[in-house]
């Protein structure tokens, strides 16, 4: 056996794999899972390095060949310990025999591919990434964590490379890259590599580790933008992650040669359906500017609207946990950009505005991707999302509930329950359809929410005025005796059900989207914190419901209707403001800025003339109701 640095490196790796294997035989079921992933690494290792040991049926490196034998022995022995997995046992023995017989590389790789399929089948379901860091961010991450050993371009020639034994991997070596999977790279980034200087980077978020794996797996390949491919739908993200390019070509003979390399060089196509919100915002802004320069103002406006509603809006809650002032600034500039586009002024001004927003989005992306969100910020964001989105709907349903109870029409409550329960189901189904079947744009979603909020505001405003006329106990009793039975029989029950449906449905779909976006910023270990925030908000909503029901039933009838009237009018005020804001965000209603900038999200107040005018109208008539009894009393005193 000839001595070489390469042989020395492999001997180190071999020793530590053997040690790891011996330790794993003594561990519990949780370690069995790690053992399967270790066997996956060993199997891929054989597939990648067998060519360095055997050529034309002859040993070209005795040390390499001995490692192939030892690794295949470990796999075969471990497979026997898997109950009921005959396929794993058979394939592992076949692989060992094939290596002993010095079979060709093609035969060995065919066996390793089959064995890998069985190992993946028996491993826990892999949690695949939903998005990657931007190219600029992952390059910076690589420079900060990897370049000192692997080199600036990943060729294994970093400043520390000569001091290391074995030397760092050259990710630009195409032949080996064709036999290396993204999953294998991810496992090494996550757990490190025993016997080498490669440490574990488990302190990075899963998104950062996946991004590094995809990046290092791309360095051996060059993306050709002119190349037209027709196989995009034939290859899933799971395929690209779990299998090497050569394994995919062997399994999918209809794949055009070079296609997998193109995806490895630029995997963005596989994430197109689940792009990160800020990536969507950035892409749509660039399209808006291009359309504007081509004098297509209408298309530019559509892209500008999409940049906010399909992109930035979905991470507003996340960004608030880091920098609320930056969130407000980006929101203000995105909405203001539409006015600039509509003004049809010079493209230079629009280009400057787009560049400014893109820079702010880059800052937001840095904050969100640089590290995982803290537990405190995550809990707070999760808590506020449900409390803010759920409180209005809850108050509407509770007011309707208490009105029915105080009217002695408890049999009508089932219609109310049907309304809000149907809204929860419909909201969930809408989200599911939007994910799987059709694309519901941000503009459509916001229009739906705006119209629903406006309709609810009108109904609540009307009911508030109607209830004010019944605040006297004798008036209410007379009305109940004369009209309530007739009203409840003439379709009002379904009206109550419909109002409950509208109040709840408008919140459900968007709430799910907000939590879905928040999940992308969390580590698996933080999911308990996220659900704790959700649970705490749900508990608070339950407490609010209990207090309202308990004390509203005990109130005198006149007092009850007086308080309920003002609560309904307050809800109408809030919903009207939010309706105008939603319709403005969807570009249904124009935006005219108020001279002074202010924003009170909980009250639905925004600094636009359209929103302020609408809410001022409700406030004026509500105030008239409030002061009307006082004016009458003053008039009698004067007489």
């Amino acid at each position: 056996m000839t001595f070489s640095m390469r042989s020395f490196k492999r001997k180190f790796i071999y020793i530590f794999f053997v040690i790891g294997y011996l330790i794993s035989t003594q561990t519990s079921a949780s370690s069995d899972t790690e053992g399967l992933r270790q066997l996956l690494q060993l199997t891929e290792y054989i597939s990648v390095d067998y060519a360095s040991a055997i050529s034309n049926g002859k040993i070209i490196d005795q040390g390499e060949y001995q490692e192939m034998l030892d690794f295949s022995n470990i796999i075969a022995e471990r497979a026997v310990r898997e109950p009921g997995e005959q396929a794993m046992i058979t394939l592992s023995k076949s692989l060992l025999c094939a290596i002993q017989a010095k079979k060709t590389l093609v035969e060995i790789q065919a066996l390793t591919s089959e064995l890998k399929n069985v190992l993946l089948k028996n491993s826990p379901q892999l949690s695949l990434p939903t998005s990657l860091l931007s190219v600029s961010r992952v390059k910076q991450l690589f420079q900060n964590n990897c370049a000192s050993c692997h080199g600036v371009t990943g060729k294994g020639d970093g400043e520390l490379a000569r001091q290391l034994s074995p030397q760092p991997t050259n990710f630009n070596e195409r032949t080996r890259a064709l036999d290396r999977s993204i999953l294998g790279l991810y496992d090494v980034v996550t757990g490190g590599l025993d016997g080498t200087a490669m440490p574990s980077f488990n302190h990075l978020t899963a998104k950062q580790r996946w991004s590094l794996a995809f990046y290092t797996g791309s360095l051996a390949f060059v993306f050709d933008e002119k190349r037209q491919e027709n196989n995009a739908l034939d290859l899933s993200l799971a395929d690209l992650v779990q299998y090497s390019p050569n394994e995919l070509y062997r399994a999918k003979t209809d794949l055009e040669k070079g296609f997998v390399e193109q995806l490895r060089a630029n995997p963005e196509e596989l994430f197109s359906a689940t792009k990160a919100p800020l990536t969507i915002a950035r892409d749509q802004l660039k399209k808006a500017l291009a359309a504007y320069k081509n004098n297509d103002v209408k298309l530019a406006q559509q892209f500008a609207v999409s940049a906010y509603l399909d992109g930035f809006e979905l991470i507003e809650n996340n960004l608030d946990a880091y920098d609320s002032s930056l969130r407000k600034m980006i929101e203000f500039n995105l909405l203001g950009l539409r006015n600039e586009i509509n003004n049809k002024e010079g493209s230079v001004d629009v280009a400057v505005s787009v560049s400014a927003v893109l820079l702010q989005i880059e800052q937001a992306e840095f904050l969100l991707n640089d590290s995982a969100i803290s537990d405190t910020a995550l809990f707070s964001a999760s808590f506020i999302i449900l409390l803010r989105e759920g409180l209005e709907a809850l108050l509407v349903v509770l007011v309707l509930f208490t009105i029915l109870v105080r009217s002695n029409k408890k049999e009508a409550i089932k219609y109310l329950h049907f309304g809000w329960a149907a809204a929860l189901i419909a909201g969930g189904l809408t989200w599911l359809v939007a994910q799987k079947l059709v694309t519901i744009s941000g503009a459509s979603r916001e229009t739906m929410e705006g119209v629903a909020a406006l309709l609810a505001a009108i109904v609540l405003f009307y009911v508030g005025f109607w209830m004010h006329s019944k605040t006297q106990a004798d008036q209410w009793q007379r009305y109940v005796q004369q009209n309530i039975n007739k009203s409840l029989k003439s379709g009002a029950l379904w009206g109550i059900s419909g109002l409950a449906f509208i109040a709840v449905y408008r919140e459900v779909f968007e709430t799910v989207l907000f939590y879905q976006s928040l999940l992308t910023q969390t580590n698996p270990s933080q999911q308990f914190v996220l659900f704790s925030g959700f649970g705490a908000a749900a508990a608070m909503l339950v407490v609010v419901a209990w207090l309202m029901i308990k004390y509203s039933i005990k109130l005198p009838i006149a007092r009850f209707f007086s308080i309920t009237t003002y609560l309904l009018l307050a809800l109408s005020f809030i919903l009207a403001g939010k309706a105008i804001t939603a319709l403005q965000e969807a570009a249904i209603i124009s935006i005219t800025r108020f001279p002074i900038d202010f924003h009170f999200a909980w009250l639905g107040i925004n600094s636009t003339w359209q929103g302020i005018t609408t809410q001022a109208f409700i406030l004026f008539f509500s105030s008239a109701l409030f002061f009307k009894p006082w004016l009458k009393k003053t008039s009698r005193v004067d007489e």
Side-chain angles (χ1 to χ4, degrees), residues 550-572:
K550 179 179 179 180
Y551 290 102
S552 63
I553 293 177
K554 292 182 178 181
L555 286 173
I557 191 69
R559 185 68 173 167
F560 165 76
F561 274 92
S562 178
I563 293 175
T564 304
T565 293
Y566 297 122
L567 180 58
L568 288 172
L569 293 174
L571 286 171
S572 175

Side-chain angles (χ1 to χ4, degrees), residues 37-63:
R37 291 292 282 269
Q38 186 183 70
L39 293 186
L40 275 169
Q41 283 184 285
L42 285 173
T43 303
E44 184 165 301
Y45 201 94
I46 291 173
S47 176
V48 172
D49 285 349
Y50 185 77
S52 300
I54 298 293
S55 178
N56 297 321
K58 295 182 179 180
I59 299 173
I60 58 176
D61 189 317
Q62 183 62 44

Side-chain angles (χ1 to χ4, degrees), residues 126-235:
L126 185 64
S127 179
L128 295 171
T130 57
S131 63
L132 301 177
L133 299 179
S134 65
V135 175
S136 60
R137 290 289 300 127
V138 72
K139 281 184 177 180
Q140 188 61 51
L141 192 66
F142 182 85
Q143 296 305 315
N144 294 342
N145 295 277
C146 314
S148 59
C149 296
H150 291 281
V152 175
T153 59
K155 293 182 178 180
D157 56 355
E159 294 179 1
L160 303 178
R162 292 185 179 181
Q163 306 172 28
L164 301 177
S165 178
Q167 291 188 342
T169 298
N170 176 5
F171 296 115
N172 289 263
E173 192 176 349
R174 181 183 174 87
T175 301
R176 293 181 180 277
L178 287 170
D179 288 314
R180 189 177 287 125
S181 70
I182 299 295
L183 178 60
L185 291 167
Y186 175 78
D187 283 341
V188 172
V189 172
T190 300
L193 193 60
D194 291 335
T196 74
M198 177 66 188
S200 166
F201 286 90
N202 200 38
H203 62 280
L204 298 178
T205 65
K207 184 175 182 177
Q208 289 173 321
R209 283 178 274 134
W210 278 117
S211 297
L212 282 173
F214 272 93
Y215 177 71
T216 54
S218 72
L219 294 177
F221 310 111
V222 178
F223 179 65
D224 184 0
E225 294 184 358
K226 297 180 180 179
R227 183 177 179 128
Q228 298 294 322
E229 304 289 357
N230 299 314
N231 297 119
L233 298 179
D234 297 333
L235 200 62

